[in-house]
Amino acid sequence: MPRFSLLLSCLVAVALGLFIAVGPAAAADDVGEGWIEMFNGRDLTGWQANPEHPESFRVEDGVLVVDGPRCHLFWVGDPDDPTDEQFTNFHWHAAVKTMPKANSGLYFHTAYQESGWPAKGYEAQVNQSHPDRKKTGGLYAIADVLDESPVADGQWHDYDIIVDGRHIVLKIDGKVTTDWTEPDDWQPPAGMPGRKLSSGTFAIQAHDPDSVVHYKDLRVRRLP
């Protein structure tokens, strides 16, 4: 028995040592290095809504609630650094939860504008049950996910948008839903001349008064 107890104690010690050594590292790997936290859970620091309907964005219980008429919330970053909000290659992450009939979008390579739908950049669609056939996980009007969303209303899901050169990848809960490369001779769709890669900032869409969407865990990191 003493020999068994000693062996058991050694195994426990080794296991605890591995937990101490691996646990924090694993947690750090989940978040990774170089991430910029974009939402503090208290207010809209780092963001600017255009004047259409800024009341469509509010913070409740650590969550960004999008609820109201059309408006767009643009990432402005550090107000003391006018280039801070400009991104070319990046990995943008958000946790998203939609309510029934909701429609929203995550814009990138875009630019602040006073009104209307953002003319510059691409939109990653957010829509489970809104009548629009274009669903979550698609690159709006470019590489759409049609009719059937990969997730359901009322459930949090991870949305990842990765741009590397001319390559765009969208992931929902870690699963690739869009993998698209902009052609060298790319011609944007009719009426959407700004749908092309360049550089720019990010925006979150309030689509209409019946579209309620929650966002949290917003963060981004630059890629080489």
Side-chain angles (χ1 to χ4, degrees), residues 122 141-142 182 185-197:
Y122 286 102
I142 305 297
E182 184 181 274
D185 59 350
W186 172 240
Q187 296 296 320
M192 296 182 172
R195 285 285 201 270
K196 54 187 176 182
L197 291 169

Side-chain angles (χ1 to χ4, degrees), residues 64-195:
L64 170 59
V65 179
V66 180
D67 178 10
R70 185 183 70 185
C71 191
H72 291 84
L73 186 68
F74 293 85
W75 173 246
V76 295
D78 183 350
D80 295 326
D81 182 356
T83 65
D84 183 60
E85 83 282 7
Q86 295 296 303
F87 286 78
T88 302
N89 297 330
F90 61 85
H91 179 175
W92 186 21
H93 172 85
V96 186
K97 180 171 68 174
T98 56
M99 304 305 156
K101 300 188 298 181
N103 193 336
S104 182
L106 297 168
Y107 285 83
F108 56 93
H109 282 194
T110 193
Y112 178 84
Q113 61 186 59
E114 293 287 309
S115 63
W117 312 107
K120 182 177 183 289
Y122 286 102
E123 178 189 3
Q125 174 72 318
V126 175
N127 167 26
Q128 293 21 292
S129 56
H130 185 276
D132 191 333
R133 294 184 60 201
K134 300 176 178 66
K135 303 302 181 183
T136 289
L139 197 61
Y140 196 91
I142 305 297
D144 294 304
V145 172
L146 293 176
D147 299 326
E148 186 173 347
S149 172
V151 288
D153 288 321
Q155 299 178 358
W156 284 105
H157 58 276
D158 290 320
Y159 209 135
D160 289 279
I161 302 168
I162 302 165
V163 173
D164 186 2
R166 307 186 76 86
H167 189 202
I168 301 172
V169 173
L170 308 185
K171 296 181 181 181
I172 302 298
D173 286 336
K175 181 179 179 180
V176 174
T177 54
T178 295
D179 187 330
W180 186 77
T181 299
E182 184 181 274
D184 292 337
D185 59 350
W186 172 240
Q187 296 296 320
M192 296 182 172
R195 285 285 201 270

Side-chain angles (χ1 to χ4, degrees), residues 17-57:
L18 287 173
F19 176 79
I20 292 171
V22 175
D29 288 342
D30 289 342
V31 176
E33 296 182 357
W35 287 98
I36 299 168
E37 297 296 333
M38 303 174 76
F39 177 56
N40 62 23
R42 301 183 301 276
D43 54 40
L44 296 178
T45 296
W47 296 89
Q48 180 182 355
N50 65 25
E52 281 193 308
H53 293 282
E55 70 279 4
S56 293
F57 301 96

